[in-house]
């Protein structure tokens, strides 16, 4: 049984589907989401269907794979069963047995103890939230066109992105391009190029996981797009009309802003805490459960956990701080399948080792940075590398083709086709212009 159809769960099921085993995949959504590109949905560069692919379609030719739409409510690790609440229909909770359980619940953004900020500072980790952020960004430009008060108009045209990791940098750069290229001729009263994009980061540079030279190049690219990095600043308050930031020296600044996007820090899915409490495994401050070198939980070798929700003990017993990125989850998913195959054959499998192939981040049109260890790229070569890698890992030939066409169109015309204001769900949806 595999819980979660993200990168790790998907890789595990894909490998297990080739073995003489029965696989049940459980997820709250009926699709796999390519999270590295959700920010492009949020800024109108791509549509929702181009970054999501139905789980059943992925495994339709694998008769030994069953996909269930539902959410895991309880575990009985001794009885080797899970209780699942179906996501649709009138059926009550289902009790489903397993021989081996792979938990890949992922993570969500952390608001550092200020969960009330989530109402005003939206994230782009899910498809629903990306669509809501898109509606909020586009609505802000519409509201600025209608606004007659100059100060209130500036607030509508101020966009604050919190967190200067890859997602924050990519999001800020895309908003900058949207304002300065895509929308510059669309309005008659206000000029979208007057928009301010502020990138707030606690550290003293953007992209702290990259070499300093690439961080500096990324900062220059952001500034060229009109993005202002507020480095060594911490968000101390967020409401529906403003953000308050504090510099490391202690001074505070109140910034009128009607659009705030959160990309700062993550916490593990609640699945991790429940598994930790059930097995006595250590849980860190980010909610991640500690697993053994083979990704198993203490006392339950048949229960494996992977992805953003875990910390892994190395072969020497020391905890490894692996980055919360898709390649880690994908490698762990493949490892979990190999481990199960080895057990079926009565063989031993060595501990999990992560192979770091480098980091990529795009800032805008023909602007990116790439740390490939053997080479450090920036500008157009890094951007092409980023395009190829993301197209390669995108699920489905149709999606790859559509995204390639959309990116090619955007590159030559600077246009964006996904600029429809769509309210996906009531919770956390964009505020209409007022």
């Amino acid at each position: 049984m595999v819980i979660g159809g993200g990168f790790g769960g998907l890789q595990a099921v894909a490998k297990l589907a080739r073995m003489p085993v029965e696989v049940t995949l459980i997820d709250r959504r009926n699709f796999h989401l390519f999270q590295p590109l959700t920010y492009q949905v949020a800024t109108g560069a791509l549509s929702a269907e181009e970054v999501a692919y139905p789980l059943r379609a992925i495994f339709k030719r694998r008769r030994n794979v069953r996909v269930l739409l539902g959410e895991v409510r309880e575990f009985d690790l001794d009885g080797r069963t899970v209780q699942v609440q179906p996501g649709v229909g009138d059926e009550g909770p289902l009790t489903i047995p397993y021989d081996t359980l792979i938990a890949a619940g992922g993570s969500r953004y952390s608001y550092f103890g200020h969960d009330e900020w989530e109402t005003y500072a939206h994230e782009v980790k899910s498809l629903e939230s990306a669509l809501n952020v898109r509606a909020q960004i586009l609505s802000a430009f519409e509201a600025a066109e209608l606004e007659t008060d100059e100060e209130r108009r500036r607030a509508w045209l101020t966009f604050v992105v919190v967190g200067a990791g890859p997602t924050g940098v990519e999001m800020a750069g895309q908003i900058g391009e949207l304002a300065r290229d895509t929308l510059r001729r669309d309005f008659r009263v206000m000029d979208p190029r007057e928009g301010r994009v502020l990138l707030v980061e606690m550290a003293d540079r953007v992209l702290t996981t990259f070499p300093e030279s690439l961080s500096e190049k990324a900062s220059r690219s952001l500034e060229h797009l009109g993005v202002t990095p507020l480095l060594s600043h911490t968000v101390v308050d967020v409401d529906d009309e403003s953000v308050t930031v504090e510099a490391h020296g202690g001074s505070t600044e109140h910034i009128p802003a009607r659009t705030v996007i959160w990309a700062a820090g993550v916490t593990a899915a609640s699945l991790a805490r429940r598994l930790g409490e059930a097995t006595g495994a250590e849980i860190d401050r980010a909610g991640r459960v500690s697993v053994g070198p083979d990704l198993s939980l203490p006392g339950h070798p048949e229960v494996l956990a992977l992805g953003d929700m875990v910390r892994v003990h190395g072969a020497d017993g020391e905890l490894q701080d692996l980055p919360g990125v898709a390649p880690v989850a994908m490698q762990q998913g493949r490892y979990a399948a190999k481990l199960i195959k080895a057990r079926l054959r009565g063989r031993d499998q060595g501990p999990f080792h992560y192979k770091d192939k480098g980091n990529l981040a795009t800032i805008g049109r023909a602007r990116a940075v790439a740390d490939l260890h053997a080479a450090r790229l920036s500008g157009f070569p890094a951007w092409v590398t980023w395009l190829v890698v993301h197209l390669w890992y995108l699920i489905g030939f149709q999606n790859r083709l559509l995204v390639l066409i959309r990116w090619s169109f955007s590159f030559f015309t600077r246009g964006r086709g996904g600029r429809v204001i769509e309210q996906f769900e009531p919770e956390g949806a964009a505020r209409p212009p007022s």
Side-chain angles (χ1 to χ4, degrees):
M1 177 183 296
V2 178
I3 302 172
F7 287 104
L10 201 68
Q11 287 293 317
V13 175
K15 297 298 182 183
L16 290 170
R18 303 173 185 174
M19 304 179 196
V21 296
E22 296 293 323
V23 185
T24 299
L25 172 60
I26 302 172
D27 199 286
R28 292 182 298 175
R29 301 287 185 266
N30 76 326
F31 56 84
H32 166 76
L33 177 65
F34 194 78
Q35 280 188 348
L37 293 180
T38 52
Y39 77 93
Q40 295 214 354
V41 175
T43 52
L46 295 174
S47 65
E49 294 78 11
E50 291 162 354
V51 300
Y53 202 84
L55 290 170
R56 294 187 184 280
I58 296 173
F59 300 110
K60 64 183 178 182
R61 302 186 189 282
R62 299 292 183 177
R63 306 304 299 174
N64 61 331
V65 176
R66 182 190 184 195
V67 178
L68 292 181
L69 184 65
E71 185 171 1
V72 173
R73 296 297 190 186
E74 295 182 11
F75 297 95
D76 180 0
L77 298 185
D78 293 329
R80 297 194 180 188
T81 63
V82 297
Q83 188 180 97
V84 179
Q85 180 62 48
V88 293
D90 300 322
E91 289 290 330
L94 306 174
T95 300
I96 304 176
Y98 64 84
D99 295 311
T100 300
L101 175 66
I102 299 175
S107 62
R108 58 183 178 83
Y109 277 107
S110 169
Y111 289 82
F112 306 114
H114 293 276
D115 291 344
E116 69 276 11
W117 293 352
E118 188 175 2
T119 305
Y120 315 112
H122 303 308
E123 42 84 16
V124 292
K125 203 170 181 64
S126 69
L127 188 60
E128 298 91 337
S129 60
L131 289 170
N132 287 334
V133 167
R134 184 181 71 184
Q136 186 174 13
I137 292 171
L138 296 175
S139 293
F141 286 109
E142 297 291 342
E145 175 77 356
L146 297 171
E147 186 58 64
T148 57
D149 181 83
E150 196 63 32
E151 186 175 337
R152 288 173 59 85
R153 178 182 290 171
R154 281 197 299 270
W156 280 114
L157 290 176
T158 298
F159 303 89
V160 178
V161 180
V162 184
T167 299
V169 165
E170 291 165 349
M171 191 75 203
Q174 288 287 308
I175 297 174
E177 280 198 343
L178 185 67
R180 280 153 183 77
D181 287 342
T182 308
L183 302 178
R184 69 183 187 276
R185 295 190 181 95
D186 285 15
F187 296 90
R188 299 297 175 263
V189 176
M190 67 87 185
D191 185 352
R193 291 174 293 184
E194 295 176 358
R196 298 173 65 206
V197 184
L198 306 177
L199 181 60
V200 182
E201 170 58 44
M202 292 178 61
D204 60 356
R205 63 186 178 97
V206 304
L207 299 176
T208 55
T209 58
F210 284 70
E212 191 169 345
S213 60
L214 292 180
S215 292
E216 292 175 357
K217 290 179 180 178
S219 289
R220 289 197 295 270
S221 294
L222 286 167
E223 291 167 2
H224 183 80
L225 291 171
V227 177
T228 302
L230 290 180
L231 305 177
S232 302
H233 281 71
T234 304
V235 172
V236 294
D237 193 25
V238 183
D239 58 36
D240 61 342
E241 294 188 349
S242 65
V243 176
T244 303
V245 298
E246 181 180 317
H248 279 188
S251 61
T252 61
E253 180 182 359
H254 185 75
I255 304 170
R258 302 300 295 265
T259 304
V260 183
I261 298 158
W262 195 268
V266 296
T267 185
S270 61
L271 193 66
R273 184 169 297 278
R274 283 184 280 162
L275 285 172
E277 292 171 349
T279 61
E282 180 185 353
I283 302 170
D284 70 3
R285 293 178 61 183
R288 296 175 297 181
V289 62
S290 297
V291 296
D294 62 353
L295 307 183
S296 66
L297 287 160
H300 290 273
E302 78 284 355
V303 181
L304 309 176
L306 51 89
D308 294 354
M309 57 178 277
V310 305
R311 295 183 73 192
V312 183
H313 282 94
D316 57 1
E318 294 294 323
L319 279 170
Q320 306 175 56
D321 286 320
L322 299 177
V325 294
V328 173
M330 294 170 71
Q331 291 183 32
Q332 289 177 341
R334 292 193 288 267
Y335 172 86
K338 289 180 182 179
L339 178 66
I340 293 171
K341 183 177 182 179
R343 288 177 176 178
L344 290 174
R345 295 181 175 182
R347 299 176 181 174
D348 292 328
Q349 179 72 26
F352 170 75
H353 291 290
Y354 171 56
K355 296 179 181 178
D356 185 0
K357 299 178 182 179
N359 286 327
L360 297 166
T362 181
I363 296 105
R365 181 177 179 270
R367 294 183 176 92
V369 290
D371 176 21
L372 306 179
H373 301 315
R376 295 177 181 177
L377 307 176
S378 62
F380 186 76
W383 184 70
V384 171
T385 303
W386 180 90
L387 291 179
V388 171
V389 169
H390 283 70
L391 284 172
W392 176 262
Y393 285 109
L394 197 61
I395 301 297
F397 173 77
Q398 176 179 300
N399 278 12
R400 292 191 187 108
L401 181 60
L402 290 174
V403 170
L404 178 60
I405 293 171
R406 184 70 70 90
W407 278 345
S408 299
F409 176 81
S410 297
F411 181 81
F412 290 108
T413 68
R414 300 177 184 267
R416 293 167 187 262
R419 299 194 340 248
V420 176
I421 296 177
E422 178 183 12
Q423 191 166 300
F424 193 86
E425 58 180 4
E427 303 82 40
R431 296 183 297 276
S434 59

